């Protein structure tokens, strides 16, 4: 029916398990959270609805229940280099990317959608963003990105892929459309951009040129103190 | 007449007083019973044994189940036939209601059978005193697997559990340290799982050792030195590659020519394995360099280029 793969099997067990894993082991500093309630809020955001009409705001209760502070100077934004980011962030110990927050941790690498007029999850297929933008997963990450940006403070780091086709700073993109517009200017002291090429990959983009220049200009116009470095060691 | 009235009133008063005393006694008894019962339920029964290490991880069942499903779904869909509920039950049965100093390898047999899976040849990575680095390496290079990258290790990593003969059978307050008793649920689990991981290895195996420890990179008392080395199967394993990693800018206590490493090499050669030892294996060293980019060892260009 839809072109994308269906809901991840055993989604409920995985999400609830990840929730307890996070609060008991990964980051106990966030304190006590009600994981069953968080699962219910997550599920209610997209079940019993047309799978093409899910909006970021539908996840509001879920976000409110799973929100926690993001330590200043630890935010790490990224585009087109998720595995590198996970490795560099060292599971939240060095940096805390969106996947290292509780709300991001719950959804990372999973897929889900519901159907209209039925409380169940659709395990057969789910709409891709090409088929419809307002699908469950897309809206989840938009909401997560918005929230993550709103709660980031201090020195902000951005890791971009200088070998990505189409440029290191994708437009449209999550960073461009959902994160930059939600930065809290009075809480941010500096924005540090790192452009890293794939090993033996092409050097398509760098600081000061093409899309990275577009990004630097945009941030400076907004009034941020911006620095940019290529291929950090 | 006044006398008769007096004695009736006295009797009434006595009955009243007795009634009040009985009521009070019943009330006190009820309060004591209630507090005893709830007290018992909140803190485990007062007879639960007390130990020195942290207790069972709270929400153990949810964490184990979630990790099991997560592993099968996200990491190894080929293991789709694994029954996570049965796996959880077999883990619980291994230790619940048992004295946590009397755990045996047999207690874990059903779990081992349900949760074990083959490891592809040439991919086993053993480690000793280099856990953090070894796991960062396998996360960035899926060509290698540590025990904690297999289903069993993945479920149990950084978690603790132990039982107690009194209800509810699981001790969330404390668990025995190895120094208190060796046959505790955690220690026995890792011994049994490590033995199986070593037995399952085939082809070329790798081991990451720490060359910055004064006590020596290879210790016979470690799990690697006492269990894994001796359970590698010479009919399946052809070579052992040793990666001797020193901390960047840290003490260079030992290298491949070092005393304890030579001892390990001779133990392995006696069992007919071919050995290759490499100091500061470059791909792993590059990971260390992420945290120390300015050190001379981390410069990209060497004099030879």
């Amino acid at each position: 029916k839809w072109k994308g793969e269906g809901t991840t099997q055993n989604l409920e067990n995985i999400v609830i398990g990840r929730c307890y894993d996070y609060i008991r082991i990964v980051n106990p500093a966030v304190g006590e959270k009600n994981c069953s309630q968080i699962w219910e809020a997550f599920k209610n955001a997209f079940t019993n609805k047309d799978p093409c009409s899910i909006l970021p705001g539908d996840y509001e209760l879920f976000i409110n229940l799973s929100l926690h502070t993001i330590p200043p100077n630890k935010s790490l934004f990224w585009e087109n280099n998720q595995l590198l980011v996970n490795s560099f962030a060292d599971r939240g110990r060095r940096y805390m990317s969106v996947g290292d927050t509780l709300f991001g941790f719950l959804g990372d690498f999973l897929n889900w959608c519901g159907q209209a007029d039925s409380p169940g999850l659709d395990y057969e297929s789910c709409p891709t963003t090409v088929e419809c933008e307002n699908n469950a997963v897309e809206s989840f990450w938009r909401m997560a990105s918005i929230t993550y940006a709103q709660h980031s403070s201090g020195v902000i780091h951005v890791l971009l892929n200088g070998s990505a086709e189409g440029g290191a700073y994708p437009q449209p993109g999550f960073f461009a459309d959902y994160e930059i517009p939600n930065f809290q200017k009075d809480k941010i002291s500096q924005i540090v951009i790192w452009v890293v090429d794939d090993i033996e990959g092409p050097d398509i983009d760098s600081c000061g040129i093409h899309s990275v220049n577009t990004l630097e200009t945009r941030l400076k116009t907004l009034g941020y103190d911006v620095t940019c470095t290529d291929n950090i060691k | 007449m006044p006398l008769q009235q007096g004695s009736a009133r006295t009797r009434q008063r006595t009955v009243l007083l007795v009634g009040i005393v009985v009521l009070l006694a019943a009330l006190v008894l009820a309060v004591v019973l209630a507090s005893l019962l709830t007290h018992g339920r909140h803190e485990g029964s007062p007879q639960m044994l007390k130990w020195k290490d942290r207790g069972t991880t709270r929400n153990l069942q949810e964490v184990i189940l979630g990790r099991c499903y997560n592993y099968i779904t996200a990491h190894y869909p080929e293991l789709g036939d694994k029954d996570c509920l049965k796996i959880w039950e077999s883990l619980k049965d291994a230790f619940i209601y048992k004295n946590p100093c009397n755990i045996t390898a047999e207690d874990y047999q059903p779990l081992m059978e349900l949760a074990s899976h083959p490891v592809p040849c040439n991919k086993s990575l053993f480690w000793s005193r280099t856990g953090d680095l070894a796991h960062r390496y396998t996360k960035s290079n899926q060509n290698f697997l540590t025990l904690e990258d297999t289903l069993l290790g993945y479920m149990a990593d950084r978690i603790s559990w132990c039982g107690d003969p009194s209800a509810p059978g699981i001790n969330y307050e404390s668990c025995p340290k190895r120094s208190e008793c060796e046959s505790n649920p955690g220690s026995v689990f890792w011994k049994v799982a490590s033995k199986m991981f070593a037995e399952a290895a085939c082809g070329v195996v790798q081991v990451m050792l720490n060359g910055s420890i004064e006590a020596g990179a290879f210790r016979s008392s470690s799990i690697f030195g006492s269990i894994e080395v001796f359970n590698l199967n010479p009919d399946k394993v052809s070579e052992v590659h040793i990666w001797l990693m020193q901390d960047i800018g840290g003490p260079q206590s030992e290298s491949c020519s070092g005393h304890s490493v030579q001892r390990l090499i001779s133990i392995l050669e006696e069992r007919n394995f071919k050995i290759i030892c490499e100091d500061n294996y470059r791909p792993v060293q590059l990971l260390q360099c992420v945290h120390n980019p300015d050190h001379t060892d981390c410069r990209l260009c060497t004099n030879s280029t």
Side-chain angles (χ1 to χ4, degrees):
Chain A
K1 186 166 143 226
W2 301 109
K3 298 202 176 120
E5 40 171 275
T7 301
T8 306
Q9 290 291 332
N10 299 302
L11 186 72
E12 178 172 350
N13 280 311
I14 292 176
V15 172
I16 293 183
R18 281 183 179 188
C19 182
Y20 283 115
D21 206 333
Y22 192 90
I23 66 176
R24 301 276 176 247
I25 297 153
V26 175
N27 190 6
V30 304
E32 197 61 29
K33 295 283 183 197
N34 187 332
C35 290
S36 316
Q37 241 189 348
I38 287 175
W39 161 254
E40 287 300 315
F42 172 79
K43 196 177 58 156
N44 290 337
F46 63 92
T47 48
N48 246 312
K49 298 176 186 171
D50 172 5
C52 280
S53 66
I54 314 298
L55 299 171
D58 292 337
Y59 288 100
E60 200 180 329
L61 177 59
F62 163 77
I63 290 287
N64 285 343
L65 291 171
S66 57
L67 190 54
H68 57 83
T69 41
I70 296 166
N73 309 316
K74 284 215 163 183
S75 295
L76 179 58
F77 294 84
W78 55 272
E79 282 287 2
N80 288 318
N81 49 26
Q82 185 172 13
L83 291 179
L84 176 63
V85 163
N86 286 343
S87 167
F88 187 58
D90 205 3
R91 218 200 256 127
R93 283 176 293 189
R94 205 159 132 80
Y95 292 98
M96 186 181 276
S97 69
V98 68
D100 297 311
T101 62
L102 173 56
F103 47 92
F105 187 77
L106 294 181
D108 224 0
F109 299 111
L110 301 176
N111 200 52
W112 60 89
C113 66
Q115 47 223 328
D117 308 319
S118 159
L121 305 171
D122 190 342
Y123 292 97
E124 298 292 315
S125 64
C126 287
T128 61
T129 303
V130 169
E131 290 176 282
C132 62
E133 253 189 76
N134 295 328
N135 65 67
V137 175
E138 182 74 17
S139 292
F140 173 91
W141 289 113
R142 285 179 182 179
M143 188 60 178
S145 302
I146 291 168
T147 307
Y148 181 64
Q150 281 172 341
H151 289 84
S152 292
S153 63
V155 179
I156 305 287
H157 292 91
V158 188
L159 194 61
L160 301 176
N161 186 341
S163 298
E165 263 180 49
Y169 169 61
Q171 276 181 292
F174 276 97
F175 185 57
D177 303 327
Y178 298 96
E179 290 168 336
I180 296 177
N182 286 289
F183 281 158
Q184 304 292 290
K185 190 154 182 312
D186 53 338
K187 295 199 297 188
I188 292 174
S189 56
Q190 196 188 30
I191 300 186
V192 174
I193 303 170
W194 292 325
V195 182
V196 186
D197 298 333
D198 294 335
I199 305 278
E200 291 184 352
D203 179 16
I204 295 179
D205 238 347
S206 301
C207 294
I209 59 170
H210 304 149
S211 71
V212 185
N213 188 39
T214 309
L215 171 62
E216 290 178 81
T217 309
R218 178 181 179 188
L219 292 173
K220 283 177 183 157
T221 311
L222 286 169
Y224 293 106
D225 173 12
V226 183
T227 69
C228 187
T229 314
D230 277 307
N231 280 320
I232 43 146
K233 283 179 276 202
Chain B
M1 220 97 81
L3 260 170
Q4 272 180 325
Q5 271 185 333
S7 70
R9 210 171 285 141
T10 318
R11 210 178 301 129
Q12 270 180 355
R13 216 173 286 153
T14 321
V15 169
L16 202 59
L17 273 170
V18 171
I20 290 172
V21 169
V22 168
L23 264 174
L24 272 173
L27 198 63
V28 168
L29 194 64
V31 168
V32 168
L33 267 174
S35 76
L36 264 181
L37 284 170
T38 51
H39 184 83
R41 216 169 288 139
H42 281 314
E43 292 188 2
S45 63
Q47 303 110 288
M48 239 188 214
L49 302 160
K50 289 186 170 39
W51 308 102
K52 291 189 181 149
D53 216 348
R54 58 187 177 134
T56 302
T57 305
R58 290 184 189 271
N59 302 104
L60 182 70
Q61 176 173 352
E62 286 88 344
V63 174
I64 295 285
L65 271 179
R67 283 181 175 190
C68 184
Y69 287 120
N70 195 52
Y71 187 89
I72 292 171
T73 314
H75 294 237
Y76 283 96
E78 316 93 74
L79 298 180
D81 60 328
K82 293 291 183 203
D83 186 333
C84 287
L85 272 168
K86 275 213 188 104
I87 286 174
W88 157 248
E89 291 293 323
S90 67
L91 168 61
K92 194 174 62 161
D93 291 340
F95 69 93
I96 198 171
Y97 283 110
K98 296 181 183 167
N99 184 311
C101 281
N102 283 342
I103 305 298
T104 65
E106 285 71 49
D107 288 327
Y108 283 114
Q109 266 321 110
L111 169 64
M112 294 297 147
E113 259 154 59
L114 285 169
S116 65
H117 59 86
V119 176
C121 288
N122 309 319
K123 292 200 176 190
S124 300
L125 173 59
F126 297 88
W127 56 271
S128 194
R129 304 289 216 97
T130 51
D132 224 31
L133 186 56
H135 295 130
R136 274 195 287 145
Y137 187 60
T138 58
K139 250 172 212 78
S140 61
N141 186 343
Q142 258 98 56
N143 270 324
F144 298 101
L145 285 148
T146 61
L147 169 56
E148 294 71 24
D149 297 305
T150 65
L151 175 58
L152 270 167
Y154 183 83
M155 288 190 297
D157 201 17
R158 289 164 299 143
I159 283 181
S160 67
W161 63 86
C162 67
D164 189 282
S166 350
I170 300 183
N171 193 338
Y172 291 99
E173 301 305 311
S174 63
C175 286
K177 269 189 139 124
R178 258 196 76 185
S179 49
E180 293 178 281
C181 61
E182 273 203 44
S183 298
N184 65 72
S187 299
V188 175
F189 172 85
W190 288 109
K191 277 199 191 135
V192 177
S194 300
K195 179 167 180 275
M196 274 188 49
F197 183 61
E199 285 169 344
C202 58
V204 178
V205 312
Q206 286 72 211
V207 54
M208 194 185 295
L209 298 177
N210 190 333
S212 287
I213 305 184
E214 224 185 280
F218 171 70
R219 294 167 309 138
S220 309
S221 56
S222 64
I223 289 197
F224 175 66
S226 61
I227 294 175
E228 290 171 331
V229 161
F230 297 104
N231 282 286
L232 292 172
N233 186 342
D235 294 331
K236 288 174 20 176
V237 174
S238 53
E239 277 176 43
V240 179
H241 288 189
I242 303 170
W243 299 334
L244 218 304
M245 306 306 301
Q246 293 163 341
D247 297 338
I248 303 279
Q252 304 192 334
S253 313
E254 204 167 344
S255 66
C256 282
S257 51
H259 191 63
S260 75
V261 181
Q262 288 301 308
R263 196 158 46 89
L264 167 63
I265 291 175
S266 65
I267 292 174
L268 290 170
E269 280 178 341
E270 222 172 291
R271 301 192 68 223
N272 283 324
F273 298 113
K274 174 167 174 237
I275 316 298
I276 296 179
C277 186
E278 203 171 326
D279 286 312
N280 291 314
Y281 180 62
R282 189 65 174 159
V284 178
Q285 191 184 49
L286 284 171
L287 259 185
Q288 291 174 300
C289 286
V290 169
H291 296 279
N292 250 301
D294 295 318
H295 196 272
T296 39
D297 291 341
C298 293
R299 277 207 309 252
L300 285 171
C301 295
T302 59
N303 284 339
S304 50
T305 52

